[in-house]
Amino acid sequence: MTSELAQLADVRATRARLDEQELELIDRARHSGATWAQIAQALGFGSRQAAEQRRQRLVTARWSRRQHLDLGYAPRIAALRAAVADLRRWIETDRRWDARFRRAALVRSTVEVALDAAPGSLYALALHLIADLTDAGEGLPAPVRAAAADMAAALSTDR
């Protein structure tokens, strides 16, 4: 029975690696210009909507795995990732985000990378995000300034 349980754990780990690979390939295909219909066909789905939903499920699973891994680190890591996630939610709802300041598009892409980054990389990326948001000045919306303050607090060693 122990052998079967170990094999089941191996299946779970293999599934997580395959999910990561699938998500990366979907994103690379999209960035290379593939349509959702083409991706759906490659995945064996009947519609572009099914392919988009599959990607969203993979992203959700990745986020869940990352949150679970964060529990093994200091609480600051979870707080830092939550602040970055708050910033992402605001950026996604702001139609004018990319025109708000010179580095807005860079901030958007850094947030995307930071959300899935290992703790050390998350820390470094958050420092860049804070610097870029600080350079943008006081013209940023209050929720963005609040997310930056939360990131700064999570990074602070004065706790």
Side-chain angles (χ1 to χ4, degrees):
M1 179 145 122
T2 304
S3 173
E4 289 82 7
L5 293 176
Q7 289 175 355
L8 284 172
D10 287 345
V11 167
R12 187 185 77 224
T14 300
R15 183 176 295 122
R17 283 192 305 276
L18 288 172
D19 284 352
E20 289 292 326
Q21 183 180 11
E22 183 179 355
L23 179 58
E24 181 181 334
L25 289 169
I26 289 170
D27 287 345
R28 284 175 36 202
R30 286 291 294 156
H31 286 106
S32 296
T35 66
W36 281 111
Q38 291 169 321
I39 292 171
Q41 184 178 17
L43 291 172
F45 295 137
S47 70
R48 65 161 192 80
Q49 182 180 9
E52 290 181 70
Q53 289 172 345
R54 172 65 180 157
R55 183 190 179 280
Q56 188 55 47
R57 283 191 300 276
L58 291 169
V59 167
T60 300
R62 173 191 273 176
W63 178 251
S64 176
R65 284 191 301 273
R66 178 53 66 199
Q67 285 183 312
H68 181 72
L69 290 173
D70 285 349
L71 295 176
Y73 295 98
R76 287 183 189 184
I77 295 299
L80 184 56
R81 198 172 309 276
V84 173
D86 287 343
L87 177 58
R88 179 186 187 211
R89 278 189 288 279
W90 204 91
I91 289 171
E92 287 178 346
T93 62
D94 184 359
R95 292 182 179 180
R96 299 179 333 137
W97 176 259
D98 288 342
R100 285 200 177 273
F101 61 102
R102 189 170 50 93
R103 293 185 181 161
L106 176 62
V107 167
R108 177 192 299 274
S109 62
T110 303
V111 164
E112 291 302 319
V113 172
L115 284 173
D116 294 323
S121 299
L122 171 63
Y123 185 92
L125 291 166
L127 288 172
H128 287 290
L129 286 169
I130 291 169
D132 288 340
L133 292 171
T134 300
D135 285 349
E138 293 296 317
L140 292 176
V144 173
R145 290 194 312 272
D150 290 345
M151 281 188 275
L155 292 170
S156 174
T157 58
D158 296 336
R159 286 181 162 201

